[in-house]
Amino acid sequence: MSIFELQEVSFFYPQAKVPTLHNVSFKIEEGEYCGIVGSNGSGKSTLARLLANLESPSSGKLVAKRDSLIALVFQSPKNQIICSIVSRDTAFGPKNLSLPKSEIELRTIECLNITGLLEKSESSTMNLSLGQTQKLALSGVLATWPGVMILDESVAMLDPHSRKNVFDFINYWHRHGNTVIHITHELDAIKQVEHVIGLDKGELFYDGNVDGYLQNSDYIKKLTGESLPPCNRIIENISMAEKDFSFGLSNVSFSYENEDSKCLKDVSFKLRKGTLNALTGPSGSGKSTILEIGSGLLKPQSGIVFGDKTPSLALQNCSDAVFEAFAADDVAFGPRNLGITGEELKLRVKNAMDSVNLPFEKYADVPVNRLSGGELRRLAIAGIIAMDNQVLFFDEPTAGLDGESRQEVMNLLKKLADEGKTVLFSTHNMEEARFAHREIAISGGKIVSDSFAPVISAKDESVPQTNEKYENILEPKPIAEKLKTLRTLSNGLAGTKRKKQSLLEKTPAVFRILLFVVMFVCSLLSNNIIFCSTMLLLAFGYCLFAGFGIKKLLKAFIKITPFLLFFAVFQIIFRKPLESEVCYTSWKWFMISPSKLIFCLNSFLRTFACLASISAFYTSLRDYELIDGLRIIFYPLEKIRIPMRYLYLVMEIIFRFIPLLVEQSCVILKTQTIRGNMGDVKGKMKAIKKIVPLIVPIIIQTIKRSEALADAITVRCFK
């Protein structure tokens, strides 16, 4: 029995002149393991959205079996996360299916164990690496126990061990009669399927069994590209002179806020000029952190960064790093900030786009929102290459690329190294690592192996240990502190609080909610000095009970006092004195009287008491505890069939969405900094010109995130 049948299906995106899918017809049988292959931009992700009922065909007919639970794991994993805590996000789908609490807990534990995230179950979803986020997106879908599971490049960011665990589970899932549809560029994944569907430029080029596909060498070459030859790492007469090294780290350690252990521990290495270097390690091992520290976006807690020039970094999540409307404009953004104009600018853009297989003549005027995920990644790489820096970092540059594109990107990195540039890239692909001159393996925040040289210890004198031993110290970029502040804000909004529990945090969430309501309402309604003073004293005690420091509270009072004084002046001007009241001073319309002073003092005390109550509440209650507490409080309303679940969903989304936008702002700031837009500026007009490119991408990304969250909620069974 067919679970899907497509009859001459075509699909156009709005305002697109060419269809993304054109007259596609095929069947997928129930219980089948199907692989969908094709080059970047061939329409695979669009097909996945059609099968998941997130889009409708522009023409043709798509017939799906009724009563089959269809789940889609998105290509961009962050778009699929709804809740702020790992375990709660995995449990979101099962809760929507109205399963018993014991079953929800069992599925949550099992799925987190499958994806290797069980130890992170109580962590904030904002603190996960991109690879870990991909695991979480998969975990959340698995927990719904779908009859049809569609995976859109859903293991691209995973290390080999994690990928194998996922593949093992997919095979287990399929053996139990479930339908699996896997969109992939990996030959190992295709070897496990029964049925292959091939797309090329939106049209079907293959529909048959896996054996027929694997027997065609042209199909295999299109899927995997040419094999990358391993590099001969035996280099004779290696010079150890400092002039031959362009970049290095010395005893660098780093940890993110609210983490018990260090992300990096005494990491040291030096990179020679003209070499291609691979950085490998499991998801969350610290690879991206090393690249961001090296490029000046993070400040190490200890150790130094040194080199000839701060490297340019192509970020891992490429769709967040592209923010101009058209492809050529985005590539030109960095060189233009360097002061390059005219024919030289055009030549740089053309050469960069051509080098990543985005021909300038074809793609220059293509809107970036019409590019596929793989094309966006190549465009982001082109934008970094156009900067023409001598030290280049690439974070997972081939993730999500088809075989031919992957080969082209790797050969391009090798070409850059042959031209004398220093290139460092992170990867999970061992073939890519062997292709490099050197592989530096990271695990648990430490270098565990180095194919080029022994792991450099803290006592190695060839690496400078202090600023005095090396002149070319690379300081973090000024934006690093702002990014740290934004991350702290994001962690707070995401519910990541202090490690040590206060006395109030040990009480039930319902008690904390009701205590806050009483304190805040009484503080707000207090209308005389005695009552206001009493509430302020109680609010101080509330803060101590919640673990919110008095010094921190007093600083907040000092910050808000100027605003209160400003409004007090207005009250003195516009508030009428009482009849027969003696005025201390009277100058035209400016009169100071006892009633006015008492009113202003009450306003101060009332505001301070309210602020203290809010601070204590914010400190003592995580977002999910607030939602769970409200569920208990509003339970009687649910019993009389008032749909409170929509309120809980909105709150869940808000707690996830706001820190997500803060993080999005960080990514845009990073990208703009890397590409030369956030340097020191003089003059208001120049400052405005620097800020405008930040605002537009944030607005666009807000819209995109909203649409993605809506799709995620649908996929995760909320009705």
Side-chain angles (χ1 to χ4, degrees):
M1 181 182 295
S2 297
I3 199 160
F4 291 112
E5 182 176 354
L6 278 72
Q7 301 172 5
E8 297 185 349
V9 166
S10 295
F11 183 84
F12 285 82
Y13 281 103
Q15 301 179 346
K17 297 179 181 179
V18 179
T20 304
L21 294 172
H22 180 61
N23 290 341
V24 175
S25 299
F26 62 81
K27 293 181 181 179
I28 296 177
E29 301 300 326
E30 187 173 6
E32 197 169 58
Y33 193 166
C34 178
I36 300 179
V37 299
S39 58
N40 297 128
S42 60
K44 303 186 300 299
S45 294
T46 300
L47 177 59
R49 292 179 61 81
L50 287 171
L51 297 178
N53 201 30
L54 295 177
E55 303 282 0
S56 299
S58 301
S59 63
K61 188 176 182 181
L62 192 161
V63 180
K65 183 185 176 184
R66 294 181 179 180
D67 302 325
S68 284
L69 180 56
I70 303 170
L72 169 63
V73 184
F74 297 163
Q75 189 175 27
S76 180
K78 288 192 176 183
N79 292 341
Q80 195 145 358
I81 310 305
I82 295 171
C83 303
S84 61
I85 301 297
V86 168
S87 59
R88 291 179 67 86
D89 188 79
T90 303
F92 181 80
K95 283 182 179 178
N96 292 330
L97 297 173
S98 301
L99 297 174
K101 186 177 180 180
S102 58
E103 176 67 15
I104 293 172
E105 291 178 352
L106 182 63
R107 289 193 185 188
T108 299
I109 294 171
E110 184 173 352
C111 292
L112 288 175
N113 189 47
I114 290 166
T115 56
L117 286 178
L118 192 57
E119 292 183 356
K120 295 276 187 180
S121 61
E122 297 306 313
S123 298
S124 167
T125 55
M126 300 300 297
N127 288 342
L128 300 179
S129 69
L130 193 56
Q132 291 169 330
T133 304
Q134 198 162 42
K135 292 180 182 180
L136 180 58
L138 181 61
S139 177
V141 165
L142 292 177
T144 62
W145 262 218
V148 181
M149 183 164 56
I150 306 171
L151 307 168
D152 188 3
E153 288 292 344
S154 304
V155 294
M157 295 291 180
L158 301 186
D159 58 83
H161 178 72
S162 299
R163 190 183 291 118
K164 182 181 182 302
N165 288 344
V166 171
F167 284 156
D168 288 345
F169 180 80
I170 291 173
N171 287 321
Y172 163 82
W173 194 249
H174 170 243
R175 287 196 300 271
H176 283 71
N178 298 294
T179 306
V180 178
I181 302 172
H182 193 176
I183 297 172
T184 182
H185 294 304
E186 298 187 25
L187 181 60
D188 289 342
I190 290 299
K191 288 180 178 179
Q192 301 180 61
V193 308
E194 304 165 329
H195 176 197
V196 178
I197 294 170
L199 293 176
D200 185 29
K201 297 178 181 178
E203 297 185 351
L204 195 71
F205 76 85
Y206 186 84
D207 179 13
N209 62 51
V210 65
D211 293 333
Y213 183 87
L214 294 176
Q215 289 170 5
N216 190 311
S217 59
D218 291 335
Y219 293 163
I220 298 299
K221 184 178 178 181
K222 183 179 291 189
L223 178 68
T224 64
E226 297 285 352
S227 297
L228 295 171
C231 179
N232 180 9
R233 291 174 176 165
I234 301 175
I235 305 176
E236 297 180 358
N237 301 321
I238 297 176
S239 170
M240 297 303 291
E242 291 294 347
K243 63 182 179 64
D244 292 324
F245 293 91
S246 57
F247 177 83
L249 302 180
S250 174
N251 302 317
V252 167
S253 295
F254 181 84
S255 63
Y256 290 97
E257 297 84 356
N258 300 296
E259 285 196 1
D260 295 325
S261 59
K262 287 185 176 180
C263 177
L264 298 179
K265 306 168 188 176
D266 294 323
V267 173
S268 298
F269 62 80
K270 295 194 293 184
L271 303 179
R272 295 182 75 248
K273 295 177 182 177
T275 58
L276 178 63
N277 306 272
L279 192 62
T280 63
S283 301
S285 61
K287 301 186 299 297
S288 296
T289 304
I290 287 176
L291 296 176
E292 291 199 9
I293 287 175
S295 56
L297 299 176
L298 291 175
K299 182 179 180 180
Q301 291 174 330
S302 62
I304 60 173
V305 181
F306 58 94
D308 298 335
K309 188 178 180 181
T310 301
S312 295
L313 168 64
L315 294 169
Q316 190 178 60
N317 201 345
C318 57
S319 61
D320 292 336
V322 176
F323 42 79
E324 290 284 3
F326 298 96
D329 291 336
D330 195 84
V331 177
F333 184 83
R336 191 179 288 120
N337 287 326
L338 297 176
I340 298 170
T341 58
E343 287 299 318
E344 183 182 356
L345 176 63
K346 183 177 179 180
L347 183 62
R348 275 208 190 189
V349 173
K350 183 179 185 304
N351 290 340
M353 293 184 69
D354 290 346
S355 68
V356 297
N357 195 25
L358 291 176
F360 179 81
E361 300 299 330
K362 179 180 179 181
Y363 283 91
D365 297 323
V366 174
V368 295
N369 60 3
R370 293 186 192 170
L371 298 177
S372 69
E375 289 168 336
L376 279 174
R377 183 165 294 280
R378 282 181 276 161
L379 185 69
I381 293 172
I384 294 300
I385 291 172
M387 299 283 290
D388 197 30
N389 199 338
Q390 291 303 303
V391 185
L392 300 170
F393 287 177
F394 299 90
D395 198 357
E396 297 282 354
T398 62
L401 295 184
D402 58 71
E404 291 183 357
S405 297
R406 181 179 72 93
Q407 180 188 4
E408 288 168 358
V409 168
M410 291 308 301
N411 285 329
L412 172 61
L413 300 189
K414 181 67 163 55
K415 180 183 175 183
L416 292 170
D418 292 341
E419 292 172 354
K421 299 183 188 300
T422 305
V423 181
L424 176 66
F425 69 96
S426 63
T427 182
H428 290 307
N429 189 306
M430 291 301 103
E431 184 182 57
E432 294 176 8
R434 290 189 292 269
F435 179 71
H437 295 123
R438 176 184 185 185
E439 178 189 354
I440 302 171
I442 307 290
S443 181
K446 295 181 179 180
I447 296 179
V448 293
S449 68
D450 189 336
S451 64
F452 180 72
V455 176
I456 301 171
S457 68
K459 297 180 181 179
D460 192 331
E461 295 181 357
S462 66
V463 177
Q465 304 301 314
T466 63
N467 291 10
E468 289 74 21
K469 291 188 178 182
Y470 202 89
E471 294 180 358
N472 297 335
I473 303 300
L474 299 177
E475 298 294 340
K477 294 180 182 291
I479 202 72
E481 285 300 323
K482 295 179 182 177
L483 290 171
K484 182 179 179 181
T485 301
L486 283 173
R487 283 194 302 273
T488 302
L489 173 63
S490 178
N491 284 333
L493 292 169
T496 306
K497 302 291 196 313
R498 296 168 292 101
K499 299 171 188 176
K500 187 178 179 181
Q501 272 194 333
S502 65
L503 292 173
L504 185 58
E505 287 176 292
K506 296 177 181 179
T507 62
V510 173
F511 172 78
R512 282 175 270 169
I513 294 171
L514 295 177
L515 177 61
F516 166 71
V517 171
V518 171
M519 288 294 301
F520 185 77
V521 171
C522 290
S523 298
L524 195 63
L525 297 180
S526 55
N527 56 6
N528 62 67
I529 289 180
I530 295 176
F531 194 10
C532 288
S533 300
T534 302
M535 290 310 304
L536 181 58
L537 288 173
L538 290 174
F540 269 102
Y542 183 22
C543 286
L544 291 173
F545 190 31
F548 190 83
I550 297 301
K551 287 184 178 180
K552 194 174 180 181
L553 184 62
L554 291 176
K555 287 181 180 179
F557 287 172
I558 292 171
K559 288 180 180 179
I560 202 173
T561 296
F563 296 97
L564 295 177
L565 290 172
F566 177 76
F567 287 109
V569 171
F570 273 84
Q571 292 295 335
I572 290 172
I573 293 173
F574 295 106
R575 187 177 178 84
K576 293 182 179 180
L578 299 176
E579 292 185 9
S580 69
E581 184 179 27
V582 177
C583 293
Y584 297 128
T585 182
S586 178
W587 183 71
K588 294 185 178 180
W589 34 261
F590 190 83
M591 293 181 291
I592 299 178
S593 67
S595 63
K596 289 185 177 184
L597 291 177
I598 291 172
F599 181 83
C600 291
L601 181 58
N602 282 342
S603 297
F604 272 62
L605 296 173
R606 186 164 50 242
T607 303
F608 289 153
C610 290
L611 179 60
S613 299
I614 293 171
S615 300
F617 178 71
Y618 176 78
T619 303
S620 64
L621 199 72
R622 293 175 182 260
D623 52 8
Y624 63 87
E625 292 176 321
L626 173 61
I627 295 171
D628 290 345
L630 291 177
R631 286 182 188 275
I632 296 172
I633 293 171
F634 293 143
Y635 180 73
L637 297 180
E638 293 186 57
K639 292 296 290 183
I640 58 175
R641 299 186 181 279
I642 295 178
M644 300 304 297
R645 59 197 295 263
Y646 296 104
L647 171 65
Y648 308 142
L649 176 64
V650 169
M651 294 181 67
E652 199 87 67
I653 290 174
I654 289 173
F655 286 126
R656 165 68 182 168
F657 195 71
I658 294 177
L660 198 63
L661 289 182
V662 175
E663 183 191 51
Q664 186 70 52
S665 301
C666 288
V667 173
I668 293 171
L669 281 171
K670 289 177 184 178
T671 307
Q672 298 268 352
T673 301
I674 291 166
R675 298 172 72 180
N677 187 48
M678 299 304 294
D680 294 333
V681 294
K682 295 181 180 180
K684 292 183 178 180
M685 290 306 298
K686 288 186 178 180
I688 292 172
K689 287 182 180 180
K690 296 287 183 181
I691 293 173
V692 169
L694 300 178
I695 297 173
V696 175
I698 289 174
I699 294 173
I700 293 172
Q701 290 297 335
T702 300
I703 296 171
K704 287 183 178 179
R705 293 289 189 186
S706 301
E707 293 172 347
L709 273 175
D711 289 340
I713 291 167
T714 302
V715 168
R716 306 282 291 280
C717 305
F718 186 88
K719 297 180 181 179

